[in-house]
Amino acid sequence: MTPSPAGARRSRRPLFLWISGLLVASVVVAAHDVMLPFVLAALVAYVVMPLVTLAERRRVPRSAAIALVYTVVLGALFAVVQGTAPRIAFEFRNLGGELPALSAEVRDHWLPAAEDALRAVGLTSAPPAPDEADQGPTSAFVARPQADGSIAIDVGTGVGITETPHGFVVEPAHEKKDDLLEPNKLVAEAFGKTMAYAQHNSLEFARAVRDFVASVSRAVFIFFITLMMAAYIMLTREHILAFFRSLVSEPSRAAFDALVTRVDSGLAGVVRGQLIICLINGVLSALGFALVGLKYWPVMALLAAVFSLVPIFGSIASSVPAVAVALTQGLGTATFTLLWIVLIHQLEANFLNPKIMGDAAKIHPVLVIFSLIVGEHFFHVVGALLAVPTMSIAQSLFLHVRATIDGAEAEMRELKG
């Protein structure tokens, strides 16, 4: 029996959609190096859209609402940066000036103390580093008695031995007098070295300036193109959702709407909730660090807020420099700093995460670590930042498919019963 034209079209529809999906995925993978502005635009649109919706409820047109939200958000960010940037820059300069001293203290005091402690409990058998006073003479001549009664003389580097009619003369090595008596050669060599040095450093300077200008230009371009694309996404939100909904067959559109709701619920906690938690983390860290008098506390609080964007690993990474700086001020300061950081993370885990992120955004810690490692391995810092939102979408898809299968099986059991 020949299938009807409508049936033939319905059978070709899934094949067409699968081929189109594979082509789109191939293009995205091939062009992943230039996908960052599009991903950032989607994130900006998702984060800002609730504010736009709130303005629309006050009967503000969407285009004007977007412009208003952009103005308020960017103006607030500019005011914060303008107010805090001088202090943070000052603290960064001071911290940069003290980094050599901190490194020397770690090398000369902390590491030897740690090695002594490990050696005391038998965890290492490495001998202690020899003291300079025990290393023997370091002069150019070393006399060593031999078994036959003679004395062997070791001559160090930088020493010349010249034979004379009366024996051998040992004296410091020096340049040949012939070279010193050729002023033309000396001038030529000095001029050549000077020109080579100037040429090398001028090229390095020009290259550094070029790379800096290119980086700034690219950052400005990505910033404005991201805002523009995010505005387009927010303006045409209903059309975008309607397009994806039209790809689904009529009987499955209710399930598609449920999937969108589930994904939105998970992402709302992971993306928007994490941003709120980062802000709270930064404020609480600043309060505690300032209270204990931690040096460079604005920088440490800023690091705590920014690093909190990456779950688990970011919290650990931001704790290390704060505790390290606190150790230079004493054990009491370091202990308070560590306990304050632990208190903040306990507050996040037991109160903020459940209240702000909600149950729908919960991802098992093992899955979080797995997504972070995979994202950083393939896409470095950007991959680490986007790993957890991507895992949230994958988890929502899995839960939706499982719920659909469970519902179908329950329906089959009812029909059989």
Side-chain angles (χ1 to χ4, degrees):
M1 185 170 102
T2 305
S4 63
R9 285 195 297 270
R10 284 195 298 269
S11 63
R12 290 195 296 266
R13 178 184 175 87
L15 178 62
F16 168 75
L17 292 178
W18 275 107
I19 293 175
S20 300
L22 290 175
L23 288 175
V24 171
S26 301
V27 171
V28 170
V29 171
H32 69 274
D33 290 336
V34 296
M35 291 299 296
L36 181 60
F38 299 92
V39 176
L40 292 179
L43 284 176
V44 170
Y46 188 78
V47 171
V48 173
M49 195 62 211
L51 299 177
V52 175
T53 303
L54 184 63
E56 284 185 293
R57 291 174 183 171
R58 302 294 189 273
R59 300 185 182 279
V60 178
R62 180 169 297 180
S63 58
I66 294 172
L68 177 63
V69 169
Y70 273 0
T71 302
V72 172
V73 172
L74 294 178
L77 289 176
F78 178 77
V80 170
V81 171
Q82 188 179 30
T84 60
R87 174 63 185 272
I88 293 177
F90 175 76
E91 297 288 351
F92 264 116
R93 285 195 300 269
N94 290 343
L95 179 59
E98 280 200 21
L99 279 179
L102 291 174
S103 301
E105 184 171 354
V106 171
R107 183 184 65 250
D108 299 336
H109 296 90
W110 297 359
L111 292 181
E115 290 178 0
D116 293 340
L118 293 175
R119 193 178 299 108
V121 298
L123 294 180
T124 180
S125 59
D131 191 26
E132 291 184 1
D134 301 330
Q135 294 181 0
T138 58
S139 60
F141 304 98
V142 180
R144 302 184 187 279
Q146 302 297 308
D148 58 358
S150 61
I151 297 178
I153 303 296
D154 292 340
V155 180
T157 57
V159 176
I161 301 178
T162 307
E163 184 177 4
T164 67
H166 305 287
F168 293 88
V169 176
V170 181
E171 59 183 357
H174 51 77
E175 297 180 1
K176 295 182 180 180
K177 294 182 178 180
D178 293 341
D179 294 338
L180 297 176
L181 297 177
E182 294 182 5
N184 294 334
K185 184 177 180 180
L186 290 177
V187 172
E189 289 181 356
F191 181 77
K193 290 180 180 180
T194 303
M195 293 301 297
Y197 177 82
Q199 182 180 12
H200 174 75
N201 284 273
S202 63
L203 291 176
E204 290 293 330
F205 179 75
R207 189 179 295 110
V209 171
R210 183 199 62 189
D211 294 342
F212 176 76
V213 172
S215 300
V216 171
S217 301
R218 186 173 186 274
V220 172
F221 172 78
I222 290 178
F223 177 75
F224 284 104
I225 200 70
T226 297
L227 294 182
M228 184 180 67
M229 288 190 295
Y232 285 142
I233 292 174
M234 289 185 284
L235 279 173
T236 60
R237 179 186 59 177
E238 290 81 7
H239 297 288
I240 295 173
L241 290 175
F243 168 75
F244 284 105
R245 196 170 187 271
S246 67
L247 300 179
V248 183
S249 60
E250 185 69 31
S252 301
R253 288 179 181 172
F256 174 80
D257 295 337
L259 174 61
V260 172
T261 302
R262 187 188 294 270
V263 171
D264 178 66
S265 179
L267 278 180
V270 171
V271 178
R272 298 169 186 157
Q274 191 64 33
L275 289 174
I276 296 174
I277 289 176
C278 287
L279 178 61
I280 297 175
N281 190 317
V283 172
L284 293 179
S285 298
L287 290 176
F289 296 164
L291 179 64
V292 77
L294 181 67
K295 291 190 297 185
Y296 319 116
W297 65 264
V299 175
M300 298 302 149
L302 179 63
L303 291 178
V306 173
F307 281 26
S308 294
L309 289 172
V310 180
I312 300 176
F313 293 153
S315 301
I316 297 174
S318 64
S319 303
V320 172
V323 175
V325 172
L327 280 172
T328 64
Q329 298 178 245
L331 185 60
T333 303
T335 302
F336 178 88
T337 302
L338 181 60
L339 291 177
W340 185 260
I341 292 172
V342 171
L343 177 64
I344 292 175
H345 294 323
Q346 289 298 317
L347 179 65
E348 289 180 8
N350 298 305
F351 180 76
L352 296 179
N353 284 345
K355 294 296 182 181
I356 296 177
M357 291 190 173
D359 295 334
K362 286 184 178 178
I363 304 176
H364 195 278
V366 174
L367 293 179
V368 172
I369 295 174
F370 172 77
S371 62
L372 288 172
I373 292 175
V374 173
E376 193 279 333
H377 176 74
F378 287 102
F379 302 105
H380 309 296
V381 176
V382 176
L385 291 174
L386 301 179
V388 178
T390 303
M391 179 58 70
S392 174
I393 296 174
Q395 177 177 274
S396 299
L397 289 172
F398 171 79
L399 295 176
H400 174 75
V401 173
R402 188 185 67 177
T404 302
I405 294 174
D406 291 344
E409 291 179 350
E411 185 177 353
M412 290 297 295
R413 284 194 298 266
E414 291 178 1
L415 291 176
K416 289 180 179 179

